[in-house]
Amino acid sequence: MEEYLNYLINVDSIISDALKKFNNPKINSTLFVIDKHRKLLGSITEGDIRRGMLKGARIDDSIIDHFEKNVHYIRSNNYDYNIIKEFSLKFKVIPVTDDHHRIVDIIDFKKQKQGCQ
């Protein structure tokens, strides 16, 4: 199984599904919300869930009202060093999409930095 799949969560999932994924030590606090075609719809963090629960969301509620729809990504045909460097300063992970906006990989900057040491 490709490791980046750990970062993906279906838009039809509930909050407890996301929490289970966040419990995986390989996940770096962000999940990417996808549809059934693996098209990128947004991202959700542990903080998004916490804020939702503080506003009354329950563990069996859908994630649909709690994820960020404006998400940054890199196109698989545009691995520009400057863009990646800029993103590495702002984000822990970033999805890589194909021309149809489907996720094909995830760049985990924490793992990249650990590999450089």
Side-chain angles (χ1 to χ4, degrees):
M1 183 168 137
E2 298 193 40
E3 192 170 327
Y4 78 91
L5 297 175
N6 292 322
Y7 287 93
L8 306 183
I9 189 163
N10 191 284
V11 68
D12 297 327
S13 298
I14 60 176
I15 289 174
S16 66
D17 296 330
L19 292 173
K20 288 174 189 171
K21 283 196 162 261
F22 285 128
N23 203 37
N24 181 340
K26 295 179 181 179
I27 300 301
N28 201 346
S29 75
T30 301
L31 296 173
F32 296 100
V33 181
I34 57 169
D35 67 10
K36 65 182 179 179
H37 303 290
R38 206 183 293 170
K39 182 178 175 186
L40 176 63
L41 302 176
S43 65
I44 191 165
T45 65
E46 292 172 295
D48 294 329
I49 291 172
R50 184 176 50 253
R51 285 184 289 279
M53 293 186 91
L54 287 171
K55 291 179 181 176
R58 296 180 329 184
I59 201 154
D60 58 348
D61 286 350
S62 171
I63 64 168
I64 205 155
D65 294 324
H66 306 288
F67 74 87
E68 176 61 46
K69 288 143 186 94
N70 183 17
V71 62
H72 291 84
Y73 59 92
I74 296 172
R75 292 277 182 164
S76 60
N77 60 1
N78 187 21
Y79 269 87
D80 182 281
Y81 173 77
N82 292 323
I83 292 172
I84 294 172
K85 184 177 177 184
E86 180 182 331
F87 282 162
S88 73
L89 300 173
K90 295 179 182 180
F91 305 107
K92 295 178 182 177
V93 292
I94 194 89
V96 179
T97 66
D98 65 12
D99 291 336
H100 301 287
H101 211 56
R102 293 180 300 229
I103 295 181
V104 296
D105 201 2
I106 301 288
I107 299 173
D108 184 329
F109 293 113
K110 183 178 178 183
K111 289 181 183 175
Q112 298 291 327
K113 290 175 185 174
Q114 288 173 347
C116 293
Q117 294 177 1

